[in-house]
Amino acid sequence: NISFTPAISIKESDMTRVLLTTTSFQDTPGPHHQQLKDAGFELVVARGPLPESEMLKLVGDIDAFLCGDDEITCAVIQKALPRLKVISKYGIGLDKVDVKSATEFKIPVTFCPGVNHTTVSEHCFLLLLALTKNLMEQANASRAGQWKRMTGHEILGKSIGIIGLGRIGKEVAIRAKAFGMEVSAFDLYWDEAFAHGYDVKRAKSVDEIFASCDVISLHTNLSDSTRNMIRKDSLAQMKKDAIVINCARGELVNSVDMAEALNTGRIAGYGTDVVDQEPPPKDHPLLSAKNCVVTPHVGSRTYESVQRQAGMAATNLINALGGKKPLAQANPEVVIG
C-alpha cells in the first residue's frame, strides 16, 4: 500500500528520496512495505537490475539507494553526490557495487548476510533433482500429451563438491548429507568444527573438486580470481557424468564453454539460477544447450526469504539515514552518525 513515485517524474522535494530498484522487494507483500511507509520516504521506483546507463539517468536527486543487482559504479556514485547518503543492498553479493569508491566518498554500503541461505540451498537441490530425474523433459512431454518415461539417477551415494563453504555452502552440505551424499568442499577459510560435525572432507584445491566429484556446487563470491572459474580447461577435468550447479553468480561460468561441454556430452548437466547477462538474450547459448536447466534468479525469492531480506535492507536504510548503526555494513570504516 505504498504510494510509489514513477522513476520518470522526479520532482524537487524536501522529503528523503529513496530509489527502490529491487523487484523482489516491490513484488512481495510483507511488513517491509510498512517500514518504508512509516519512515515517510518519497520512493522513486524502477524495475531492476539496471545497467550503469540507466542508473545514471535516475541519480542526482536521490538520498539513498535500496538496490538489488544494479550496476552502482564509480560514475553512478559520483553523479549521485552530494545528495547520496547511503547505499542499502537487498541481498548479499556486492560485486555490482563499487564499494571502494563508495568508501572513498564516505558513503556507507549496507547489505543483508544470513537471510537467504535456507532458500538458496533448497533451490540447489531443486536444480540437481530436476537434472538427475529428467524432470523438465518428462513433465513437458506429459503436458504435451506424450507419456515419455525416462530412466533417471539417484543422488544417494554420489559425491558432491562444494566450492565456498560459507552460510549457503554449509546448508547445502547439511542437505546433501541428509540425501546420503559424500560431501567434500574447498574454502580458503575452513570451518573445522562444522566440517567435523557434518563429515565434510576438505579438498586441497578446486581442481580436486573438479576431478573427483559427481556434483559440483558453486557458492563462492565473484572476483577477478573466480570469474570464469568454470571454463574449457576446468570442464575437461570433470567426469563425463558430472553435474554443475550454480546458485551464486553467472559470471563464475563461461557460458560458451559450458554450452559446448553440454552439447558434446563432455559433462552431463548444468543447473543454474544465474547467467552472465540477466535477463539473457533469446540467443544466449545456455538457453538451447542440452541438459541445462535455467531458472530466472529466484533462488532466494520465497515469501519467507524476501521478507527477511527486505526487512533487513529497510532497517539498514532507515538506521543509516537516521545516524544509527545498520545491522550489517560492507564498509564499516565509513562512520555513520
Side-chain angles (χ1 to χ4, degrees):
N1 296 322
I2 296 177
S3 177
F4 291 128
T5 299
I8 59 174
S9 61
I10 299 176
K11 299 178 180 179
E12 289 299 325
S13 171
D14 293 331
M15 296 175 66
T16 297
R17 185 180 288 124
V18 175
L19 175 60
L20 175 64
T21 57
T22 163
T23 58
S24 294
F25 191 110
Q26 296 173 45
D27 296 345
T28 307
H32 51 283
H33 292 285
Q34 192 65 40
Q35 280 183 271
L36 295 189
K37 183 177 181 181
D38 290 345
F41 299 141
E42 178 184 352
L43 297 181
V44 178
V45 178
R47 303 286 294 181
L50 300 177
E52 179 188 57
S53 59
E54 293 300 315
M55 288 295 294
L56 286 170
K57 295 176 184 177
L58 295 172
V59 301
D61 292 312
I62 299 293
D63 296 286
F65 301 157
L66 204 168
C67 59
D69 287 326
D70 313 283
E71 290 185 349
I72 302 178
T73 62
C74 181
V76 171
I77 294 170
Q78 285 182 308
K79 188 174 179 184
L81 296 174
R83 186 159 175 171
L84 182 66
K85 299 179 180 66
V86 62
I87 299 169
S88 176
K89 169 65 194 290
Y90 169 93
I92 302 170
L94 291 164
D95 50 278
K96 302 293 185 181
V97 179
D98 189 338
V99 178
K100 181 179 179 181
S101 292
T103 303
E104 290 175 356
F105 292 113
K106 302 188 185 309
I107 304 298
V109 178
T110 67
F111 68 128
C112 304
V115 293
N116 65 7
H117 46 281
T118 298
T119 301
V120 176
S121 62
E122 290 178 354
H123 199 82
C124 290
F125 283 93
L126 166 72
L127 294 171
L128 177 57
L129 292 169
L131 286 164
T132 56
K133 309 299 183 186
N134 304 302
L135 174 66
M136 301 299 293
E137 188 170 351
Q138 293 179 103
N140 288 339
S142 296
R143 192 176 183 88
Q146 305 169 29
W147 198 242
K148 188 172 184 177
R149 303 178 69 208
M150 302 172 69
T151 304
H153 292 277
E154 296 178 348
I155 61 173
L156 174 68
K158 300 296 192 299
S159 59
I160 182 170
I162 300 169
I163 300 178
L165 198 64
R167 286 186 178 94
I168 297 172
K170 287 175 178 175
E171 293 294 327
V172 171
I174 292 169
R175 284 156 181 75
K177 296 303 290 189
F179 274 106
M181 302 182 77
E182 298 294 326
V183 182
S184 60
F186 176 80
D187 196 300
L188 296 176
Y189 306 99
W190 190 251
D191 188 335
E192 186 59 45
F194 176 86
H196 177 76
Y198 289 95
D199 191 25
V200 178
K201 175 187 174 184
R202 184 176 189 177
K204 296 178 181 178
S205 65
V206 292
D207 289 336
E208 181 180 330
I209 296 285
F210 295 152
S212 64
C213 293
D214 301 308
V215 179
I216 297 159
S217 195
L218 306 178
H219 301 288
T220 187
N221 65 320
L222 178 64
S223 66
D224 290 340
S225 62
T226 62
R227 188 180 301 272
N228 289 322
M229 171 187 290
I230 306 299
R231 54 186 184 274
K232 185 168 292 188
D233 58 345
S234 51
L235 288 161
Q237 299 178 58
M238 298 179 191
K239 299 178 179 181
K240 289 197 70 173
D241 57 357
I243 289 174
V244 177
I245 302 295
N246 185 5
C247 283
R249 289 295 183 192
E251 295 91 337
L252 298 176
V253 174
N254 184 297
S255 296
V256 173
D257 291 353
M258 175 59 79
E260 181 183 0
L262 292 167
N263 291 331
T264 60
R266 173 79 276 288
I267 67 167
Y270 180 46
T272 185
D273 188 46
V274 287
V275 289
D276 48 11
Q277 183 180 349
E278 296 182 4
K282 292 181 179 179
D283 61 350
H284 192 283
L286 291 176
L287 298 182
S288 58
K290 295 179 180 178
N291 300 325
C292 185
V293 177
V294 181
T295 53
H297 206 153
V298 291
S300 65
R301 194 165 175 152
T302 61
Y303 286 103
E304 297 84 358
S305 177
V306 168
Q307 290 187 28
R308 289 193 298 267
Q309 292 184 79
M312 189 172 186
T315 299
N316 284 336
L317 177 71
I318 293 166
N319 284 359
L321 286 172
K324 299 179 182 179
K325 185 177 180 180
L327 299 175
Q329 186 177 347
N331 53 351
E333 59 269 39
V334 177
V335 178
I336 299 174

